[in-house]
């Protein structure tokens, strides 16, 4: 026996697939698995957490739960911002995080990604193995399980669209009318009888139709069999820059100028093919307790005029602002820059989050409202209103081509506040709810679609949109998230989850 054959024998024994784990509350691992969620406000108490390794195991775990009448929830990366997974009613929590393989599938001419993989793992493997990527979110610990089903966008969206714009197929465990689970592959192929199930997973939201076990990614229209030509190539380097204003230097006029300039710039520079398509930024409107307002930007560092474009962008946002900004700039290899996690909030792990699409920048009244809340020296939560660049290639897709209909916005807002002390939940929730209601006072407390707003993003789920106390617009939460695509999602629900096995506080219902 050669040394190699010995090693091979050891290797094949080591990769034997484990059986599905059933972790009950007496198991020391239970606490880790039930408190995996990003938002410390929510920790579930399921009877068991089922850690799964294969699609067949998911089928069998779902069958067991359905036969036992136990409510199911699925967790991938655990970044759900509201309590959809850690709902006290959930009895079986299926944790897919150990299903995290990423590889090229020559038979489908597409990249296979298991649903438990994190974005960072996907970016790393696709890039190091094939030199390609998918244009997903900016947080490397987000899981693809929830991210892709909700639409998924990030730093490359202006150049390459949303992650779902590159979703070719998926495998999902569904439950039929007789209560029997089975795995189905649904593709974007026009003749595929399961195509509607694929479509519902291009922005319809997680936890609605079944348990996704695998995705396959390939850019529409990509030809050939060379994997390196089937998904976008990221830039080799990123030029990153920041401008930081201290609250101690900012007054209302300066704050307004920054937000107004930023909105106007995005309104003017978000067409597909703009010289700024390779630029992405987040304007972080931190509150006084955090101490700064920060514009954090990146651009394709290989562009001939990358530094000039970046400087002109920062200058445009800072125009007329009297307060000094500390500027910094650095160039990094793409993967190194992309794998940095900017979202570690330390002990401040309880959060309330809300979302909104902006077709243009906020108006002066909205900016004044934000200033009033964020400058409040009496508010001790760590609040950031994050304005992410959107548009570009993401806006070239028809509203009904994917389930994510918002295809002419220029910014996405994520309203956040974080705190540490559970006894203060009510105060922080009230603060965030009031801020959002007041910013959208003209449209019933929520971003009803009009010339300026285009509803909200299901990957920033917010149960308040379904609460008439906070949504006084008369527009249903389903319309705020899905617009005209909702009836089609309902038809998919009726066809593929007729018994509503997969449900949560913001799930699609059949009728
Ligand atoms: C710090 C942070 C940064 C973020 N940054 C971005 C960003 O840059 N861009 C962006 O688009 N979004 C971003 N998001 C939002 C993110 O896309 C969503 O929170 C996403 O749903 C998280 O997916 P997950 O698998 O990590 O979460 P989970 O909590 O595991 O799941 C979220 C939802 O999807 C369901 N789900 C999970 N796995 C499956 C599965 N296998 N099958 C069916 N349903 C499933 C869950 O049941 C739940 O309803 C961010 C969120 C956070 C907290």
């Amino acid at each position: 026996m050669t040394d190699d054959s010995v090693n091979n024998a050891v290797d094949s024994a080591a990769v034997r697939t484990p059986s599905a784990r059933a972790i009950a509350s007496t198991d020391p691992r239970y606490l880790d698995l039930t408190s995996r969620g990003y938002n410390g406000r929510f920790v579930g108490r399921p009877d068991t957490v089922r850690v799964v390794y294969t699609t067949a195991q998911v089928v069998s775990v779902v069958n067991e739960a359905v036969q036992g009448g136990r409510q199911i929830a699925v967790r991938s990366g655990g970044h759900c911002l509201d309590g959809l997974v850690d709902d006290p009613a959930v009895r079986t929590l299926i944790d897919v995080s150990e299903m995290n393989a990423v590889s090229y599938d020559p038979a489908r001419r597409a990249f296979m990604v298991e649903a438990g993989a994190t974005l960072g793992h996907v970016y790393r493997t696709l890039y190091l193995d094939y030199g390609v990527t998918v244009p997903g979110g900016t947080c490397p610990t987000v899981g693809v399980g929830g991210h892709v089903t909700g639409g998924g966008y990030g730093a490359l969206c202006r150049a390459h669209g949303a992650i779902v714009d590159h979703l070719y197929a998926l495998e999902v465990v569904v439950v039929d009318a007789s209560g029997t689970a089975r795995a189905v592959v649904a593709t974007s192929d026009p003749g595929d009888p399961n195509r509607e199930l694929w479509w519902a997973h291009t922005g319809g939201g997680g936890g609605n139709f079944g348990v996704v076990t695998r995705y396959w990614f390939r850019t529409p229209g990509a030809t050939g069999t060379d994997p390196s030509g089937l998904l976008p190539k990221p830039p080799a380097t990123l030029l990153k820059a920041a401008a930081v204003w201290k609250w101690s230097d900012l007054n209302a006029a300066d704050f307004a100028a920054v937000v107004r300039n930023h909105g106007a710039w995005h309104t003017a520079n978000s067409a597909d093919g703009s010289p700024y398509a390779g630029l992405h930024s987040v304007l972080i409107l931190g509150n006084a307790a955090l101490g700064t307002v920060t514009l954090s930007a990146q651009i394709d560092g290989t562009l001939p005029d990358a530094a000039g474009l970046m400087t002109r962008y920062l200058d445009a946002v800072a125009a007329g602002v009297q307060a000094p900004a500390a500027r910094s700039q650095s160039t990094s290899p793409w993967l190194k820059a992309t794998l940095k996690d900017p979202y570690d909030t330390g002990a401040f792990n309880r959060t309330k989050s809300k979302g909104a699409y902006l077709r243009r920048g906020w108006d002066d009244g909205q900016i004044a409202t934000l200033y009033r809340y964020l400058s409040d020296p009496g508010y001790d939560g760590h609040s950031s209103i994050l304005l992410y660049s959107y548009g570009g290639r993401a806006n070239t897709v028809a509203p009904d081509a994917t389930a994510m209909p918002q295809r002419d916005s220029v910014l996405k807002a994520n309203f956040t506040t974080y705190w540490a002390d559970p006894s203060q939940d009510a105060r922080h929730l009230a603060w965030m709810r009031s801020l959002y209601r007041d910013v959208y006072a003209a449209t019933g407390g929520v971003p009803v679609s009009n010339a300026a707003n285009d509803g909200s993003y299901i990957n920033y789920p917010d149960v308040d949109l379904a609460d008439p106390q906070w949504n006084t617009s008369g527009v249903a939460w389903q319309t705020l998230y899905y617009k005209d695509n909702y009836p089609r999602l309902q038809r998919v629900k009726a066809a593929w989850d007729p018994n509503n096995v997969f449900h949560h506080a913001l799930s699609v219902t059949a009728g």
Side-chain angles (χ1 to χ4, degrees):
M1 199 180 261
T2 64
D3 283 354
D4 272 358
S5 61
V6 171
N7 288 338
N8 287 342
V10 171
D11 284 351
S12 54
V15 297
R16 197 178 305 128
T17 307
S19 49
R21 309 292 186 219
I23 310 289
S25 61
T26 48
D27 188 301
R29 292 166 290 185
Y30 182 85
L31 196 55
D32 255 307
L33 287 163
T34 50
S35 49
R36 268 191 63 218
Y38 174 85
N39 190 345
R41 277 172 57 215
F42 305 106
V43 178
R45 290 288 301 165
D47 300 333
T48 50
V49 183
R50 305 302 308 265
V51 181
V52 287
Y53 301 85
T54 65
T55 300
Q57 291 174 4
V58 175
V59 171
S60 128
V61 164
V62 170
N63 269 327
E64 270 175 47
V66 171
Q67 280 154 23
R70 289 189 286 277
Q71 185 169 326
I72 298 170
V74 196
R75 173 133 64 209
S76 169
H79 278 55
C80 191
L81 286 157
D82 220 316
L84 311 186
V85 176
D86 291 307
D87 188 305
V90 170
R91 304 268 49 91
T92 298
L93 176 58
I94 303 178
D95 189 310
V96 299
S97 59
E98 289 295 296
M99 294 182 68
N100 54 20
V102 177
S103 62
Y104 180 64
D105 177 350
R108 288 206 165 85
R109 223 168 44 82
F111 292 90
M112 190 282 297
V113 175
E114 286 187 323
T118 59
L119 284 176
H121 176 51
V122 175
Y123 295 155
R124 189 171 193 285
T125 303
L126 290 181
Y127 189 57
L128 294 185
D129 293 1
Y130 300 98
V132 298
T133 194
V134 280
T138 52
C139 177
T141 52
V142 159
V144 294
H147 183 68
V148 176
T149 53
Y153 79 104
L156 295 176
C157 70
R158 287 163 58 92
H160 298 291
I163 199 166
V164 287
D165 300 339
H166 303 262
L167 181 66
Y168 165 62
L170 78 161
E171 179 184 71
V172 52
V173 173
V174 291
V175 178
D176 67 17
S178 75
T180 307
R182 71 195 160 108
V184 177
V185 172
T187 75
S188 63
D189 292 337
D192 185 343
N194 301 337
R195 191 174 190 279
E196 285 299 281
L197 188 60
W198 163 83
W199 177 86
H201 286 86
T202 58
N208 275 310
F209 309 100
V211 183
V212 179
T213 44
R214 296 191 272 179
Y215 297 104
W216 285 266
F217 293 98
R218 189 211 306 145
T219 300
T223 53
T225 51
D226 176 2
S228 70
L230 300 177
L231 279 177
K233 290 182 180 38
T237 59
L238 291 177
L239 172 66
K240 300 196 82 164
V244 183
W245 291 270
K246 288 189 186 146
W247 264 103
S248 49
D249 297 330
L250 275 177
N251 58 26
D254 280 345
F255 179 88
V258 169
V259 183
R260 200 187 301 120
N261 291 342
H262 178 261
W265 186 93
H266 279 84
T267 308
N269 292 285
S270 297
D272 185 38
S274 148
Y276 292 96
L279 185 142
H280 187 266
S281 74
V282 52
L283 179 61
I284 307 166
L285 302 172
N287 68 338
L290 278 174
T292 54
V293 164
T294 299
L295 178 63
S296 174
Q298 65 177 58
I299 192 165
D300 178 347
T302 65
L303 292 173
D305 188 26
L309 288 164
M310 180 61 85
T311 301
R312 288 195 286 283
Y313 174 57
L314 297 182
D315 288 349
V317 176
V321 178
Q322 300 301 312
R327 284 199 189 181
S328 58
Q329 194 164 300
S330 63
T331 301
S332 305
W334 176 78
L335 186 64
K336 184 174 180 181
T338 299
L339 293 184
K340 281 207 174 115
D341 187 349
Y343 298 100
D344 187 356
T345 55
F348 280 56
N349 71 343
R350 307 177 79 77
T351 184
K352 178 64 192 169
S353 168
K354 292 170 173 286
Y357 280 95
L358 283 76
R359 284 176 150 149
R360 61 180 188 222
W362 282 315
D363 66 28
D364 287 352
Q366 292 174 305
I367 296 172
T369 301
L370 284 169
Y371 182 80
R372 178 161 56 85
Y373 277 90
L374 295 176
S375 64
D376 178 0
Y379 183 61
D380 59 354
H382 287 184
S383 175
S384 291
I385 313 305
L386 305 159
L387 274 170
Y388 289 97
S389 304
Y390 195 59
R393 186 62 53 88
N395 283 355
T396 62
V397 175
D400 62 352
T402 66
M404 184 170 67
Q406 290 87 356
R407 295 296 188 162
D408 60 9
S409 286
V410 297
L411 290 161
K412 284 204 203 196
N414 186 199
F415 296 73
T416 69
T417 189
Y418 291 85
W419 63 98
D421 182 354
S423 73
Q424 298 299 307
D425 282 6
R427 184 165 64 84
H428 294 286
L429 284 170
W431 186 86
M432 175 49 79
R433 286 171 169 155
S434 308
L435 177 153
Y436 189 79
R437 177 200 59 202
D438 292 354
V439 167
Y440 291 107
T443 48
V446 295
V448 174
S449 193
N450 60 18
N453 314 315
D454 205 14
S456 191
Y457 176 40
I458 193 61
N459 264 346
Y460 299 150
D462 174 15
V463 294
D464 298 344
L465 296 188
D467 182 342
Q469 187 188 346
W470 298 105
N471 176 0
T472 55
S473 69
V475 176
W477 65 266
Q478 295 92 336
T479 305
L480 293 170
Y481 286 124
Y482 303 116
K483 300 177 65 180
D484 294 343
N485 284 340
Y486 191 62
R488 188 168 164 192
L489 285 168
Q490 291 187 287
R491 289 194 291 276
V492 177
K493 179 75 175 178
W496 289 99
D497 185 20
N499 299 331
N500 199 21
V501 168
F502 299 97
H503 64 271
H504 52 66
L506 290 177
S507 54
V508 172
T509 53

